[in-house]
């Protein structure tokens, strides 16, 4: 543990930030999984809605540097391809 007052504060803020990021990343991953479940069942309308939700979460995570922007782009691209496949 740190001895300096500002370092102690920093430890606390880092922990708070970690917990919030962990919760957001979990919800992001869940949104992606839900999309793929609906896509596998060929439910186009619900898959479109879940795609929009998952895309928003991925963009938000990339914007806050929780994940790399290329990682988000790769996930979105794969989901878009999957959505296009089931829409045909």
């Amino acid at each position: 543990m740190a001895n300096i007052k500002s370092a102690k504060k920093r430890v606390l803020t880092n922990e708070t930030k970690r917990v919030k990021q962990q919760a957001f990343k979990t919800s992001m991953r869940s949104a992606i999984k839900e999309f793929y479940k609906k896509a596998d069942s060929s439910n186009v309308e619900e898959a479109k809605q879940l795609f929009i939700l998952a895309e928003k979460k991925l963009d938000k995570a990339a914007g806050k540097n929780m994940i790399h922007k290329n990682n988000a782009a790769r996930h979105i691209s794969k989901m878009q391809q999957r959505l296009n496949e089931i829409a045909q």
Side-chain angles (χ1 to χ4, degrees):
M1 185 71 187
N3 293 327
I4 300 168
K5 187 176 181 181
S6 62
K8 289 179 183 179
K9 287 181 184 178
R10 192 70 191 153
V11 168
L12 293 174
T13 55
N14 284 344
E15 179 61 19
T16 311
K17 187 176 178 181
R18 184 191 68 81
V19 170
K20 285 182 182 178
Q21 286 184 350
Q22 185 180 28
F24 187 82
K25 278 186 177 182
T26 302
S27 70
M28 179 187 68
R29 289 185 194 115
S30 296
I32 293 169
K33 287 177 187 175
E34 287 297 317
F35 166 77
Y36 280 115
K37 282 182 186 176
K38 292 297 178 184
D40 288 342
S41 65
S42 297
N43 193 338
V44 179
E45 289 303 316
E46 287 184 31
K48 282 182 183 178
Q49 296 299 320
L50 290 171
F51 171 74
I52 292 168
L53 177 69
E55 183 181 21
K56 282 182 185 178
K57 288 185 182 254
L58 283 163
D59 284 337
K60 189 172 184 178
K64 292 185 174 185
N65 291 323
M66 289 183 193
I67 61 173
H68 196 273
K69 63 179 182 175
N70 291 351
N71 187 355
R74 186 176 66 245
H75 277 292
I76 292 169
S77 177
K78 286 184 81 171
M79 290 191 305
Q80 185 67 57
Q81 285 176 341
R82 184 74 177 104
L83 188 62
N84 291 341
E85 286 175 8
I86 64 169
Q88 291 177 351

